[in-house]
Amino acid sequence: MDQRYDPQTIEPKWQQVWEKTRAFCADADASREKYYLLEMFPYPSGRIHIGHVRNYTIGDVVARYKRMCGYNVLHPMGWDAFGMPAENAAIANKTHPAQWTWDNIAAMRKQLKRLGLSYDWERELATCDPKYYKWEQWLFIRMYEKGMVYRKESLVNWCETCSTVLANEQVENGECWRCGRPVKQKKLWGWFFKITDYADDLLEYCEKLPGWPEKVLTMQKNWIGKSTGAEIRFPVSGKDEVINVFTTRPDTIYGATYMVLAPEHPLVRTLSRGTGQQEAVDAFVDRMAAESRTDRMLEAKEKEGVFLGAWCTNPVTGTQIPVYTANFALMGYGTGAVMSVPAHDQRDYEFAKKYGIDIIVVIKPEELSVEETAATQAYTGDGAMVNSGPFDGMHNRKAYEDLIAYFEKHGLGKRSISYRIRDWGISRQRYWGAPVPMIHCDTCGIVPVKDADLPVVLPENVDLLDGGGSPLASHQAFVNVTCPKCGAAARRETDTMDTFVESSWYFERYCSPHCDTAMFDKKEVAYWMPVDQYIGGVEHAVMHLLYSRYFTRVLKDMGLVDFKEPFTRLLTQGMVCKETQHCPEHGFLYPEEAGARGESVFCKKCGQPVEVGRVEKMSKSKKNIIDPNELVARYGADTVRLFCLFAAPPERDLEWSEQGVEGGFRFLNRIWRLASAWMVRFRQTRAFTDAPDDLDEKIRPLYIKTHQTIKKVTDDIEARFHFNTAISAVMELVNAMYQAETRGISPETADDTAAAVMRGAMETALLLLAPVVPHFTEELWAAIGYEPGSMANQSWPAWRTDALSADTRVIVVQVNGKLRAKFEINAEADDETLKARALEDENVTRFIADKPVKKVITVKHKLVNIVV
RNA sequence: GCCUGGGUGGCGGAACAGGUAGACGCAAGGGACUUAAAAUCCCUUGGGGCAUAGUCCCCGUACGAGUUCGAUUCUCGUCCCAGGCACCA
């Protein structure tokens, strides 16, 4: 074997071998237990960044580990290939989005392959491929037929200059993220998926996903936002109208002293018409409409409203209460109307104080008088009912139930549940997305495209508008069609789908990516799904993961799959961070633009001192980025992988450190040197695998350490994917091999048994590291004499229980819980022996002095605590 | 404001179930090898104390209490940091 570790020659060599032998291609095999490991597929931006490297390395280690454990592993990779950046780049570079995307895919595929990731590349897919989105369109039509999709007009963020809809996160301080112009609210027709139908089920199953991080489940629960309460009818005074409110606190209804309607509520204009307030109300409503959603949120702190000039009747008290419209009432939640109880809701309280509205306490806490209860702020806790007619004295929780029963009996209202989650608006007025497969006919209305005509292919010969609007609407050949029903001239739908639709089922497509008769082969999906382990960033905690859970339910209801939850276990890995460097003259600097001068850092352009900022997520704008390509070129893929895993546990943020990477590289070299030095001896022997009993004292500890390491590494990976401690353990094993050398076990002098134990330790280290540094271990595995290329399919090592523990133990002696002495003793020693031995210790007797010993606690194999 | 995490050496991070706090790595210092340097190998490294320099003592896991023979770990309170939600009736 080569004297020098040279990753640049060995890594491409093994990558070619794996590709040639189809080492990681998976086939369904009912006789074998499957393991589906998936990392969130990337958007093909053109280059992979270090966050990808971390994500995919974590996944690759698990995939390789499970393969070694004997599972039939599915580990696919593909491309989330639709989306706006392709359009923007295409306009900027005068290329076509498709060209740009496919070029990027090619470049990134090459980068991923250079990392030695064990993907089944034969299953690669790209969502912009008509063969892929054909089935999405097919499903859309099935969902439409079942009433799971509908079209409605709704308010959206609209940028006039770009003539497009913007997602909430593309609106920055009320301005368009791209052109900086103010964003308006506009009513627009669009397609919606009825995700709200599944709100309850999605929520309920949050409790049935033990393999998911608590954090993610909490975020999803909050997003769904289920509230239970009642819907109550408030008749409008002197008119035939009724205001319906949703409240979570029907028990406070006796304290409802006014009513608030959202500015968009249809009754706002109706009720104010003809009153003296009409003008003021119209002005207020118009002002609210002109303000963007973001503006309204920014100034949200100040509550503001207008009296409508109308009253309604509190159905339980019969009192006339004023009706207002106010900025804090939202049309999209509940019924868009609020029964305001200022004594028991802080927001209502503030509004009532501002506008001088009555505050009536109806729930009294034990420790306060009625007068004190809402003196300075609303009281939202429990207590006894007061000012509530027949309910006085009752506990409010009981009154809650009784009141709902009372409403239902008298037709005043009913029990009700409200959700924060809205239906999923999937329409985008964009070009680079999957076309919605619908046709608008003047006589037949909306008609789905015939299955035989799928896919509705995105036309390639389009003029992308510099403004960013959809070019499909003006593409005559695309728009003009005949109605599938009546044959008359009709117009094709020009909206494309949100890219989250593609990513909501790609994991099922991977099971049979080339299937051209269905979305996927049911049998294949039945074998592989659900995904056993999903890995990706927390940024997808709600949207992508919730949509995927929803889509899986839709597929189940259509009989296409027989499970509800697509991802059994989820790991959300932390971000990769690095400190920022800021030059007063040149702004943020890339790492290579700054130089070190002793303790301080200076700018290479102007020589001025650089301000080293805090450690933040790597981002282009802050220039605190590291290029994976350069790293791989300098250290090789294995070192980069090793560092990504060693620096922090996967779920935590990782702080990038160049020295840390060096350390990883040094560790591999350390193994390499040891292996070279012993290689001749290794080839003459076999790994020692017997019971440790007859090993002499010089070599025995290494054998014990070897088996302890197997157990430790296995436990660390199995329990929590803590690769950092697993790698530490292997480092300790390697250190132990070096220590054996310093104790006189050298390649030249070691006897055959010692060489065999040494070889066993080396083989173990290689096996345990195989998932982490696959090229490195493959090379050394072959050098020892095993079949070249066989490392990837080796079995994960097992530990011998009889080789796990030394036969002596170090026992800690405490006096009153403080460490006072240690001694080594035979592991079998009983409590009495331990106690006697502890009391012999000079330091211990010194601390006991003449105080009486009250109690002695002994813990087997661990400690003796003497209480005096 | 609410909900989740999290505060451990100069740094990244260990400590499985309440039982030796600081594994492993980085950085730093010392030594060996070398004509020299790099690389490598070995040793030291939380803070403080000492008439006895030790198998020594005191302090120490954000802060303050508590439970316990014993707390980084469990309970209560306080402060700080990160992420999520943010007028949701």
Side-chain angles (χ1 to χ4, degrees), chain A residues 35-78:
Chain A
Y35 192 89
Y36 187 174
L37 185 118
L38 186 66
E39 300 116 43
M40 290 179 185
F41 65 168
Y43 177 79
S45 59
R47 349 195 66 203
I48 57 166
H49 54 73
I50 209 81
H52 290 129
V53 175
R54 186 176 190 206
N55 187 179
Y56 302 147
T57 300
I58 292 166
D60 198 48
V61 174
V62 179
R64 286 176 180 267
Y65 167 74
K66 290 289 176 182
R67 183 183 311 281
M68 290 177 80
C69 290
Y71 289 93
N72 189 19
V73 173
L74 176 59
H75 187 209
M77 179 44 73

Side-chain angles (χ1 to χ4, degrees), chain A residues 99-406:
Chain A
Q99 185 65 45
W100 184 84
T101 302
W102 288 110
D103 286 351
N104 285 348
I105 288 174
M108 288 175 76
R109 184 193 299 116
K110 197 175 152 195
Q111 282 185 291
L112 291 184
K113 287 193 172 178
R114 183 61 190 80
L115 287 171
L117 302 164
S118 64
Y119 294 124
D120 178 353
W121 283 105
E122 293 175 14
R123 290 174 186 263
E124 179 182 359
L125 60 81
T127 56
C128 64
D129 186 341
K131 290 192 195 102
Y132 181 84
Y133 65 73
K134 169 181 177 175
W135 296 106
E136 189 164 305
Q137 293 170 335
W138 176 87
L139 183 73
F140 183 100
I141 294 167
R142 298 290 88 77
M143 288 170 73
Y144 178 77
E145 289 165 353
K146 291 199 153 201
M148 301 166 116
V149 185
Y150 65 99
R151 211 166 99 94
K152 75 169 178 192
E153 204 174 17
S154 69
L155 284 171
V156 293
N157 298 308
W158 182 261
C159 174
E160 208 62 62
T161 327
C162 305
S163 65
T164 188
V165 169
L166 298 173
N168 283 338
E169 53 272 27
Q170 292 163 342
V171 182
E172 293 169 349
N173 299 323
E175 292 168 346
C176 173
W177 67 305
R178 203 143 44 91
C179 69
R181 294 286 174 74
V183 173
K184 286 191 179 161
Q185 294 296 103
K186 188 180 167 179
K187 271 201 156 184
L188 211 67
W189 283 90
W191 291 95
F192 288 81
F193 284 162
K194 270 190 172 172
I195 190 170
T196 51
D197 280 359
Y198 292 86
D200 237 346
D201 198 56
L202 288 165
L203 184 69
E204 191 186 316
Y205 272 72
C206 284
E207 309 302 329
K208 298 175 188 172
L209 289 170
W212 282 42
E214 198 55 48
K215 179 173 59 168
V216 173
L217 293 173
T218 307
M219 283 164 73
Q220 295 211 350
K221 285 184 218 166
N222 291 341
W223 187 263
I224 294 168
K226 179 178 181 173
S227 317
T228 52
E231 237 177 86
I232 308 172
R233 298 158 59 84
F234 283 67
V236 177
S237 314
K239 290 204 177 159
D240 213 12
E241 305 278 1
V242 165
I243 299 171
N244 243 321
V245 301
F246 171 76
T247 179
T248 53
R249 296 295 302 273
D251 50 331
T252 64
I253 187 166
Y254 282 86
T257 54
Y258 64 101
M259 181 69 67
V260 173
L261 304 183
E264 301 85 7
H265 196 289
L267 285 177
V268 167
R269 295 212 197 241
T270 322
L271 295 186
S272 61
R273 192 163 300 158
T275 73
Q277 288 296 99
Q278 181 171 345
E279 230 170 90
V281 169
D282 285 354
F284 181 78
V285 171
D286 289 345
R287 186 154 61 83
M288 288 297 128
E291 273 178 10
S292 73
R293 206 189 137 90
T294 336
D295 280 347
R296 230 166 118 181
M297 273 169 9
L298 280 176
E299 59 185 57
K301 304 288 167 241
E302 186 58 30
K303 281 151 193 57
E304 199 188 346
V306 181
F307 175 48
L308 293 187
W311 280 265
C312 65
T313 311
N314 183 323
V316 292
T317 61
T319 321
Q320 301 292 295
I321 61 173
V323 184
Y324 285 75
T325 178
N327 59 345
F328 64 80
L330 306 172
M331 195 54 220
Y333 184 77
T335 60
V338 185
M339 133 194 146
S340 294
V341 185
H344 303 289
D345 180 288
Q346 188 57 26
R347 187 194 43 199
D348 295 348
Y349 184 85
E350 286 167 28
F351 192 83
K353 280 277 175 192
K354 183 170 175 181
Y355 292 98
I357 307 168
D358 291 348
I359 298 173
I360 300 175
V361 171
V362 293
I363 294 171
K364 191 191 86 68
E366 259 175 52
E367 66 279 11
L368 294 178
S369 70
V370 173
E371 290 70 33
E372 289 165 335
T373 299
T376 55
Q377 57 175 347
Y379 172 71
T380 54
D382 292 328
M385 305 286 291
V386 291
N387 294 327
S388 298
F391 298 92
D392 278 355
M394 192 183 274
H395 189 267
N396 70 300
R397 298 280 179 100
K398 168 91 167 83
Y400 177 106
E401 294 299 329
D402 288 7
L403 272 157
I404 291 177
Y406 174 81

